Amino acid sequence: MAGVEQTIILPSVEAYIVEAHGSARGLSSAEINVLAEWADTIAAEIADAWPVDTSTSRDMWMAHIEQDPIAIFVYNDVDYVEWVHYAGGSADDPLWEALIPEVWDRNRALVIAAMRDAIDATEAEIRQARAEGYDERSVLSGRYRRVRAAV
Amino acid sequence: MARADASLVSTIDIEGMIRRLDDAERAVLTRHQRAVLKFVRGTWDGWEYAGRPKGAKTGISQAAWAASVQSTERPFRLELVNQARGFEALGGGRYRVLKPGGAGDGYAAYVHRAGSSKLEQDVLAEAIATDYIPKLKADLIAEIQRSLGQTKRKKLRRGAAGPRRAGRTLA
């Protein structure tokens, strides 16, 4: 074994997109930025709770966003990370298996609320863009914002 | 990492530093890491997507940026990676985004703006080196000066390589 990984899927975010948009769509550039910042927060909170004696593995908590399904993907590629435990614990009770759900539980409601706000903002932007003759993709890609910023 | 994955590595060498960073010093590194990540993701959008099918999602490589730090020995390091893998056609005008770092070819290293031959990762590397790393180094030196001499060095052992262990999917 080398490293651990955890997928945190967000079905309620997908459902809210369908509710707000009327059908499924991909995440917009702005929504990706919001979700990615939360992914960074989750990775940082895991690292902050990680034993300082294993700084090499603590440094390697990473996260990115996935789109099919919408998810936060947290991972650590250090080869001994799955055996790390707090002092007094044992390798049969690996820290990562308990810690990641704990960090996610603490942040779940905040992440979902932030994403609902971001989705509402994207939908408003799509309506505005359409009224100006732009298509939905120009908003999702972030191109619409760039065009508007340039004028 | 596949050959065409993007990688932005910044090293911060602090002469005379012979121990790993302590918590407060490491926090300086990670605070700046997050600022750099935010800058990179915020810059990595607005693409023209020439040739991409209408039903395929956008923002695939923007979502794939991730970062780590190296705080255990000098030179200290920030590393941003992008292992985006694109999408596959499912038929009937439907497409699925492939998992970053999974099977398939990377492409983020080759991304550039329309009308420019300069690779976007090179544009970003220059901006990071100019706009972020000097401030990071100054802040880190200031924190080290505050906490100098309080950390012990420890040697870590590494195990054998293999696939990652996956946790059950959370929702």
Side-chain angles (χ1 to χ4, degrees), chain A residues 124-144:
Chain A
E125 197 173 10
I126 288 172
R127 287 191 291 276
Q128 182 181 344
R130 282 178 175 154
E132 294 173 14
Y134 293 92
D135 62 8
E136 177 182 312
R137 176 175 277 196
S138 69
V139 173
L140 299 184
S141 70
R143 190 153 182 76
Y144 174 69

Side-chain angles (χ1 to χ4, degrees), chain B residues 28-81:
Chain B
V28 172
L29 194 60
T30 56
R31 188 177 76 239
H32 283 272
Q33 170 211 35
R34 291 190 64 170
V36 171
L37 251 180
K38 186 174 181 179
F39 161 70
V40 167
R41 289 197 193 105
T43 307
W44 198 271
D45 70 358
W47 307 106
E48 292 207 354
Y49 294 106
R52 182 167 297 193
K54 197 177 176 190
K57 290 176 180 171
T58 59
I60 295 172
S61 57
Q62 183 192 12
W65 282 106
S68 63
V69 297
Q70 194 282 100
S71 67
T72 57
E73 60 186 359
R74 62 177 284 224
F76 305 110
R77 196 176 68 230
L78 293 186
E79 182 168 7
L80 277 67
V81 296

